[in-house]
């Protein structure tokens, strides 16, 4: 296997979507974690439903709509300034601590993001975290008018980077994305940040199930589609040695 490009999902892979909880809890004390989890679940759901209905809206619109749904569903009142303050976090998400070091260790490959994020959102996020000087391309699915895991979205890698699917290592922590990339024919490394054993221990210790725990169980465990990633890694830091080993 000769890997010429390593392509990353953005949200949940390089960037920690859970970091929005800091601002949601500041705006609504005691509700921060619950808001963050419902928001992310509805955000993903809206991408899939809009794709199925052939009613595309870019990710910024979907992110706003899913936040509006969440706040209304919880009976929370908010004004425009508060709403925009929460939304702004999506262009200032925290990087995972090992992200920069991992990309620095992949100097011999083309590096890119392929994301459901809208072009403006992604460019702002990448610029705000200094990745604009590291990545060879930041690719939004905007031009396809459909969201991952549609095969049409993964075609953008070859058209933007000039590499064949078998020359790409696609990296995602999102099981649906890892499965979609594998179905398309890419080499796939799935970041398994939460193991089933860790989930079992988390539930055993808890009298009540936290929203974050439920999110981990629903959206961070490998799905049953009859598709398996080529590699399971526990962190971004594992990538340089994986690629170097061939």
């Amino acid at each position: 296997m000769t890997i010429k490009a390593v392509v990353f999902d953005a949200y949940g892979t390089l960037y920690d979507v859970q970091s929005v909880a800091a601002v949601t809890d500041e705006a609504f004390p005691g509700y921060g974690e619950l808001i963050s989890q419902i928001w992310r679940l509805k955000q993903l759901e809206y991408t899939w439903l809009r794709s199925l209905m052939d009613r595309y809206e870019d990710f910024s619109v979907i992110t706003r709509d899913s936040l509006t749904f969440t706040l209304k569903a919880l009976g929370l009142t908010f004004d425009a300034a508060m709403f925009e303050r929460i939304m702004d976090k999506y262009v200032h998400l925290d990087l995972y601590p090992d992200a920069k070091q991992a990309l620095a260790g992949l100097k011999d490959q083309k590096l890119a993001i392929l994301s459901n994020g809208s072009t403006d959102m992604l460019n702002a996020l990448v610029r705000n975290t200094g990745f604009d000087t590291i990545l060879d391309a930041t690719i939004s699915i905007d031009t396809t008018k459909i969201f991952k895991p549609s095969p049409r979205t993964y075609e953008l890698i070859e058209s933007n980077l000039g590499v064949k699917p078998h020359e790409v290592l696609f990296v995602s922590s999102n099981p649906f994305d890892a499965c979609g990339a594998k179905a398309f024919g890419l080499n796939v490394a799935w970041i398994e940040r939460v193991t089933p054993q860790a989930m079992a221990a988390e539930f055993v210790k808890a009298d009540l199930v936290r929203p974050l725990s439920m999110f981990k169980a629903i959206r961070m465990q490998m799905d049953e589609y009859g598709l398996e990633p080529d590699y399971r890694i526990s962190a971004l830091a594992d990538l340089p040695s994986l690629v170097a080993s061939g």
Side-chain angles (χ1 to χ4, degrees):
M1 179 179 67
T2 301
I3 294 300
K4 295 183 178 179
V6 182
V7 180
F8 298 85
D9 171 52
Y11 303 114
T13 299
L14 291 175
Y15 295 96
D16 185 2
V17 293
Q18 301 301 331
S19 63
V20 301
V23 67
T24 54
D25 198 56
E26 181 181 303
F28 299 98
Y31 286 87
E33 184 179 303
L34 182 58
I35 292 170
S36 299
Q37 306 321 313
I38 296 176
W39 185 11
R40 178 61 172 164
L41 287 170
K42 296 302 290 188
Q43 183 191 53
L44 290 170
E45 179 186 322
Y46 283 6
T47 64
W48 302 326
L49 290 177
R50 283 195 170 276
S51 293
L52 286 168
M53 292 187 289
D54 197 22
R55 296 180 66 87
Y56 179 81
E57 293 284 357
D58 76 39
F59 199 67
S60 62
V61 173
I62 282 179
T63 303
R64 298 181 73 88
D65 288 348
S66 52
L67 176 58
T68 300
F69 169 91
T70 300
L71 298 180
K72 286 183 175 180
L74 295 175
L76 300 171
T77 58
F78 57 94
D79 57 28
M82 180 184 294
F83 189 91
E84 294 304 326
R85 189 162 63 250
I86 297 172
M87 276 293 302
D88 186 62
K89 183 62 179 178
Y90 250 89
V91 295
H92 294 91
L93 289 172
D94 297 350
L95 283 166
Y96 279 97
D98 55 350
K100 288 188 176 180
Q101 184 177 357
L103 268 65
L106 297 167
K107 296 179 181 178
D108 297 330
Q109 288 76 33
K110 292 182 178 179
L111 301 176
I113 281 174
L114 173 68
S115 173
N116 279 340
S118 64
T119 299
D120 289 345
M121 285 180 74
L122 285 174
N123 287 342
L125 180 60
V126 167
R127 184 174 58 250
N128 289 338
T129 51
F131 271 15
D132 54 331
T133 62
I134 298 173
L135 296 169
D136 295 287
T138 301
I139 308 167
S140 168
I141 57 80
D142 272 350
T143 56
T144 66
K145 304 301 181 189
I146 195 168
F147 292 100
K148 291 190 289 181
S150 166
R152 286 160 48 193
T153 61
Y154 302 106
E155 291 174 354
L156 293 171
I157 296 173
E158 183 173 355
S159 61
N160 279 269
L161 297 179
V163 291
K164 299 296 183 181
H166 68 273
E167 298 172 321
V168 175
L169 180 65
F170 185 79
V171 183
S172 182
S173 69
N174 292 297
F176 79 88
D177 195 17
C179 290
K182 184 61 183 174
F184 179 75
L186 300 172
N187 302 293
V188 177
W190 174 51
I191 307 175
E192 186 178 18
R193 290 199 170 103
V194 183
T195 66
Q197 294 77 18
M199 288 303 315
E202 195 166 319
F203 285 126
V204 164
K205 295 175 184 177
D207 294 327
L208 295 174
V209 176
R210 292 176 53 202
L212 180 55
S213 297
M214 184 58 70
F215 180 87
K216 291 176 183 177
I218 294 171
R219 291 269 59 93
M220 296 182 72
Q221 304 301 304
M222 182 49 62
D223 289 305
E224 298 295 330
Y225 296 130
L227 294 161
E228 283 291 325
D230 299 281
Y231 309 99
R232 292 185 180 220
I233 58 178
S234 59
L236 289 164
D238 298 336
L239 281 173
S241 60
L242 173 64
V243 174
S245 70

